[in-house]
mmCIF file of all heavy atoms in Angstrom:
data_model
loop_
_atom_site.group_PDB
_atom_site.id
_atom_site.type_symbol
_atom_site.label_atom_id
_atom_site.label_comp_id
_atom_site.label_asym_id
_atom_site.label_seq_id
_atom_site.Cartn_x
_atom_site.Cartn_y
_atom_site.Cartn_z
ATOM 1 N N SER N 60 36.436 23.985 5.567
ATOM 2 C CA SER N 60 35.936 22.979 6.520
ATOM 3 C C SER N 60 36.095 23.323 7.949
ATOM 4 O O SER N 60 35.212 23.027 8.809
ATOM 5 C CB SER N 60 36.779 21.646 6.263
ATOM 6 O OG SER N 60 38.103 21.839 6.739
ATOM 7 N N LEU N 84 25.514 14.314 5.443
ATOM 8 C CA LEU N 84 26.111 15.656 5.617
ATOM 9 C C LEU N 84 26.361 16.218 4.243
ATOM 10 O O LEU N 84 27.183 15.620 3.422
ATOM 11 C CB LEU N 84 27.426 15.603 6.427
ATOM 12 C CG LEU N 84 28.325 16.844 6.346
ATOM 13 C CD1 LEU N 84 27.670 18.035 6.949
ATOM 14 C CD2 LEU N 84 29.690 16.502 7.052
ATOM 15 N N VAL N 86 27.353 19.537 1.862
ATOM 16 C CA VAL N 86 28.022 20.821 2.021
ATOM 17 C C VAL N 86 27.941 21.632 0.667
ATOM 18 O O VAL N 86 28.544 21.192 -0.381
ATOM 19 C CB VAL N 86 29.497 20.698 2.375
ATOM 20 C CG1 VAL N 86 30.224 22.043 2.521
ATOM 21 C CG2 VAL N 86 29.690 19.930 3.728
ATOM 22 N N THR N 88 29.353 24.382 -1.290
ATOM 23 C CA THR N 88 30.555 25.290 -1.307
ATOM 24 C C THR N 88 31.095 25.316 -2.724
ATOM 25 O O THR N 88 31.015 24.341 -3.490
ATOM 26 C CB THR N 88 31.619 24.736 -0.357
ATOM 27 O OG1 THR N 88 32.715 25.659 -0.272
ATOM 28 C CG2 THR N 88 32.200 23.395 -0.690
ATOM 29 N N PRO N 91 36.033 24.646 -1.972
ATOM 30 C CA PRO N 91 36.440 23.404 -1.152
ATOM 31 C C PRO N 91 37.792 23.502 -0.628
ATOM 32 O O PRO N 91 38.658 24.226 -1.214
ATOM 33 C CB PRO N 91 36.223 22.207 -2.167
ATOM 34 C CG PRO N 91 36.443 22.913 -3.525
ATOM 35 C CD PRO N 91 35.815 24.259 -3.403
ATOM 36 N N ASP N 92 38.114 22.797 0.459
ATOM 37 C CA ASP N 92 39.432 22.783 0.894
ATOM 38 C C ASP N 92 40.433 22.441 -0.140
ATOM 39 O O ASP N 92 41.566 22.938 -0.264
ATOM 40 C CB ASP N 92 39.598 21.764 2.066
ATOM 41 C CG ASP N 92 38.899 22.171 3.357
ATOM 42 O OD1 ASP N 92 37.989 23.019 3.242
ATOM 43 O OD2 ASP N 92 39.239 21.626 4.424
ATOM 44 N N MET N 93 40.064 21.424 -0.961
ATOM 45 C CA MET N 93 40.950 20.855 -2.003
ATOM 46 C C MET N 93 39.978 20.249 -2.982
ATOM 47 O O MET N 93 38.739 20.042 -2.714
ATOM 48 C CB MET N 93 41.933 19.972 -1.503
ATOM 49 C CG MET N 93 41.431 18.912 -0.510
ATOM 50 S SD MET N 93 42.817 18.043 0.223
ATOM 51 C CE MET N 93 43.400 19.210 1.542
ATOM 52 N N LEU N 94 40.484 19.962 -4.252
ATOM 53 C CA LEU N 94 39.599 19.374 -5.323
ATOM 54 C C LEU N 94 39.034 17.993 -4.847
ATOM 55 O O LEU N 94 37.979 17.668 -5.153
ATOM 56 C CB LEU N 94 40.385 19.353 -6.627
ATOM 57 C CG LEU N 94 40.290 20.692 -7.306
ATOM 58 C CD1 LEU N 94 40.943 20.477 -8.745
ATOM 59 C CD2 LEU N 94 38.980 21.239 -7.495
ATOM 60 N N MET N 95 39.901 17.182 -4.225
ATOM 61 C CA MET N 95 39.430 15.971 -3.612
ATOM 62 C C MET N 95 40.276 15.699 -2.428
ATOM 63 O O MET N 95 41.541 16.105 -2.366
ATOM 64 C CB MET N 95 39.391 14.845 -4.617
ATOM 65 C CG MET N 95 40.830 14.386 -5.087
ATOM 66 S SD MET N 95 40.754 12.767 -5.955
ATOM 67 C CE MET N 95 40.388 13.215 -7.533
ATOM 68 N N PRO N 96 39.772 15.061 -1.323
ATOM 69 C CA PRO N 96 38.395 14.597 -1.249
ATOM 70 C C PRO N 96 37.379 15.773 -1.022
ATOM 71 O O PRO N 96 37.817 16.924 -0.836
ATOM 72 C CB PRO N 96 38.442 13.685 0.039
ATOM 73 C CG PRO N 96 39.557 14.332 0.853
ATOM 74 C CD PRO N 96 40.518 14.778 -0.164
ATOM 75 N N ALA N 97 36.181 15.423 -1.080
ATOM 76 C CA ALA N 97 35.063 16.452 -0.800
ATOM 77 C C ALA N 97 35.263 17.130 0.614
ATOM 78 O O ALA N 97 35.739 16.386 1.545
ATOM 79 C CB ALA N 97 33.710 15.801 -0.884
ATOM 80 N N THR N 98 34.916 18.335 0.681
ATOM 81 C CA THR N 98 35.010 19.039 1.971
ATOM 82 C C THR N 98 34.143 18.345 2.919
ATOM 83 O O THR N 98 34.403 18.423 4.208
ATOM 84 C CB THR N 98 34.631 20.601 1.738
ATOM 85 O OG1 THR N 98 35.489 21.101 0.731
ATOM 86 C CG2 THR N 98 34.698 21.340 3.027
ATOM 87 N N ALA N 99 32.907 17.845 2.521
ATOM 88 C CA ALA N 99 32.118 17.144 3.442
ATOM 89 C C ALA N 99 32.785 16.013 4.109
ATOM 90 O O ALA N 99 32.554 15.716 5.268
ATOM 91 C CB ALA N 99 30.815 16.610 2.744
ATOM 92 N N ASN N 100 33.649 15.236 3.328
ATOM 93 C CA ASN N 100 34.372 14.151 3.943
ATOM 94 C C ASN N 100 35.342 14.614 4.964
ATOM 95 O O ASN N 100 35.505 14.019 6.021
ATOM 96 C CB ASN N 100 35.149 13.441 2.847
ATOM 97 C CG ASN N 100 34.319 12.820 1.744
ATOM 98 O OD1 ASN N 100 34.803 12.639 0.650
ATOM 99 N ND2 ASN N 100 33.020 12.620 1.943
ATOM 100 N N ILE N 101 35.995 15.791 4.625
ATOM 101 C CA ILE N 101 36.953 16.351 5.557
ATOM 102 C C ILE N 101 36.299 16.821 6.909
ATOM 103 O O ILE N 101 36.833 16.582 7.934
ATOM 104 C CB ILE N 101 37.687 17.607 4.908
ATOM 105 C CG1 ILE N 101 38.577 16.996 3.647
ATOM 106 C CG2 ILE N 101 38.641 18.193 5.825
ATOM 107 C CD1 ILE N 101 39.108 18.124 2.778
ATOM 108 N N ILE N 102 35.155 17.413 6.716
ATOM 109 C CA ILE N 102 34.360 17.806 7.904
ATOM 110 C C ILE N 102 34.007 16.707 8.741
ATOM 111 O O ILE N 102 34.202 16.718 9.983
ATOM 112 C CB ILE N 102 33.097 18.682 7.449
ATOM 113 C CG1 ILE N 102 33.529 19.952 6.782
ATOM 114 C CG2 ILE N 102 32.172 18.871 8.744
ATOM 115 C CD1 ILE N 102 32.380 20.598 5.987
ATOM 116 N N ALA N 103 33.509 15.629 8.166
ATOM 117 C CA ALA N 103 33.112 14.434 8.893
ATOM 118 C C ALA N 103 34.317 13.909 9.674
ATOM 119 O O ALA N 103 34.255 13.547 10.887
ATOM 120 C CB ALA N 103 32.571 13.374 7.918
ATOM 121 N N GLY N 104 35.450 13.890 9.025
ATOM 122 C CA GLY N 104 36.693 13.412 9.627
ATOM 123 C C GLY N 104 37.081 14.293 10.818
ATOM 124 O O GLY N 104 37.448 13.779 11.960
ATOM 125 N N ALA N 113 28.477 11.580 2.946
ATOM 126 C CA ALA N 113 28.806 13.066 2.975
ATOM 127 C C ALA N 113 29.301 13.442 1.575
ATOM 128 O O ALA N 113 30.119 12.757 0.938
ATOM 129 C CB ALA N 113 29.888 13.306 4.051
ATOM 130 N N PHE N 114 28.808 14.585 1.101
ATOM 131 C CA PHE N 114 29.207 15.061 -0.204
ATOM 132 C C PHE N 114 29.022 16.543 -0.395
ATOM 133 O O PHE N 114 28.324 17.196 0.381
ATOM 134 C CB PHE N 114 28.502 14.307 -1.320
ATOM 135 C CG PHE N 114 26.944 14.385 -1.289
ATOM 136 C CD1 PHE N 114 26.294 15.413 -1.933
ATOM 137 C CD2 PHE N 114 26.260 13.536 -0.469
ATOM 138 C CE1 PHE N 114 24.932 15.564 -1.873
ATOM 139 C CE2 PHE N 114 24.871 13.676 -0.416
ATOM 140 C CZ PHE N 114 24.167 14.666 -1.086
ATOM 141 N N ASP N 115 29.698 17.066 -1.382
ATOM 142 C CA ASP N 115 29.585 18.591 -1.692
ATOM 143 C C ASP N 115 28.716 18.910 -2.817
ATOM 144 O O ASP N 115 28.431 18.097 -3.731
ATOM 145 C CB ASP N 115 30.984 19.089 -2.095
ATOM 146 C CG ASP N 115 31.951 19.013 -0.987
ATOM 147 O OD1 ASP N 115 31.686 18.688 0.131
ATOM 148 O OD2 ASP N 115 33.170 19.420 -1.165
ATOM 149 N N ILE N 116 28.036 20.007 -2.849
ATOM 150 C CA ILE N 116 27.315 20.550 -3.929
ATOM 151 C C ILE N 116 27.885 21.860 -4.290
ATOM 152 O O ILE N 116 28.071 22.745 -3.403
ATOM 153 C CB ILE N 116 25.853 20.675 -3.533
ATOM 154 C CG1 ILE N 116 25.157 19.360 -3.253
ATOM 155 C CG2 ILE N 116 25.038 21.517 -4.494
ATOM 156 C CD1 ILE N 116 23.721 19.352 -2.820
#
Side-chain angles (χ1 to χ4, degrees):
S60 67
L84 167 63
V86 180
T88 187
D92 287 21
M93 44 192 78
L94 282 182
M95 66 165 89
T98 302
N100 301 157
I101 297 171
I102 293 167
F114 58 93
D115 293 357
I116 292 181

